Amino acid sequence: RNAYFHDNASEPATVLWNLHARSCSDSMQVRMGGTVKGNLSLQNPTAMTWGGNGTFSWNVAIDARDISANDKRGIGFNLSGTGTILNNACAYQQTGTENVTAFDLNGFSGSFTGNYVWSWKAPGGQGWATAVQFNGGGGTVTLSGNRLYQVGNGMCWRHEEAAFGSRFRYTGNQMFTT
């Protein structure tokens, strides 16, 4: 990892305006959450991992590659906890071959607003390329004003949990997939 902020810290992190390119794994892992804003990730296997409990905004991921032939990736942002995910973008995923997901919301609750995905796909059309994926968690998730364009192949939304119900509130999103 280019930067690793451990969850043993006594205060949330503030990580602003950094550039991360071609790390071995995550470009940046901020386990304790806090404010992560304006960071750019270029061709990292996982662009950024964030623990929630704050605001994740104006971050950009361009492409996500594999760690190795045996440890395949393609993840933009891996986000959990509670908080606000606002105005982030994932685009032009071309080199990761599995786990190809722009926004992996793993146990997240809060608001997911104004985010953008353009062509976050698996090369050659294989796999389960996904713009936004949910795994587990509790609480309510409000998804509004997001634009998801899966050009070539891929899903816009993917829920990997049984309890969908009223936990998710979708409003004013734009989606397109071929």
Side-chain angles (χ1 to χ4, degrees):
R1 294 175 179 90
N2 288 347
Y4 181 35
F5 302 93
H6 202 278
D7 54 352
N8 289 347
S10 60
E11 297 179 14
T14 300
V15 184
L16 308 172
W17 312 111
N18 297 284
L19 168 65
H20 296 275
R22 298 191 54 80
S23 69
C24 294
S25 180
D26 302 50
S27 71
M28 175 172 57
Q29 192 171 69
V30 184
R31 286 188 181 243
M32 77 290 279
T35 301
V36 175
K37 180 179 181 179
N39 299 284
L40 174 61
S41 171
L42 303 171
Q43 267 199 348
N44 296 290
T46 301
M48 296 173 209
T49 299
W50 176 72
N53 306 315
T55 303
F56 187 88
S57 63
W58 298 100
N59 299 290
V60 176
I62 305 293
D63 200 5
R65 62 184 175 77
D66 293 337
I67 292 173
S68 68
N70 294 327
D71 201 356
K72 299 178 179 182
R73 290 290 187 272
I75 300 171
F77 303 124
N78 184 0
L79 309 168
S80 62
T82 302
T84 300
I85 300 171
L86 177 67
N87 298 332
N88 301 283
C90 293
Y92 301 107
Q93 180 358 72
Q94 298 181 40
T95 55
T97 57
E98 274 186 34
N99 303 313
V100 178
T101 305
F103 289 90
D104 187 12
L105 303 179
N106 194 349
F108 175 77
S109 64
S111 65
F112 185 83
T113 305
N115 299 289
Y116 182 82
V117 175
W118 177 264
S119 195
W120 202 265
K121 61 185 179 179
Q126 80 274 11
W128 291 78
T130 306
V132 182
Q133 174 173 291
F134 297 94
N135 283 306
T140 301
V141 181
T142 302
L143 306 108
S144 61
N146 299 290
R147 294 174 298 185
L148 313 175
Y149 304 103
Q150 288 291 71
V151 180
N153 70 320
M155 294 174 272
C156 290
W157 308 101
R158 181 176 173 195
H159 290 268
E160 286 291 323
E161 58 186 58
F164 183 81
S166 61
R167 181 165 123 67
F168 296 93
R169 297 186 181 126
Y170 289 89
T171 179
N173 298 290
Q174 296 177 9
M175 297 154 278
F176 171 82
T177 182
T178 54

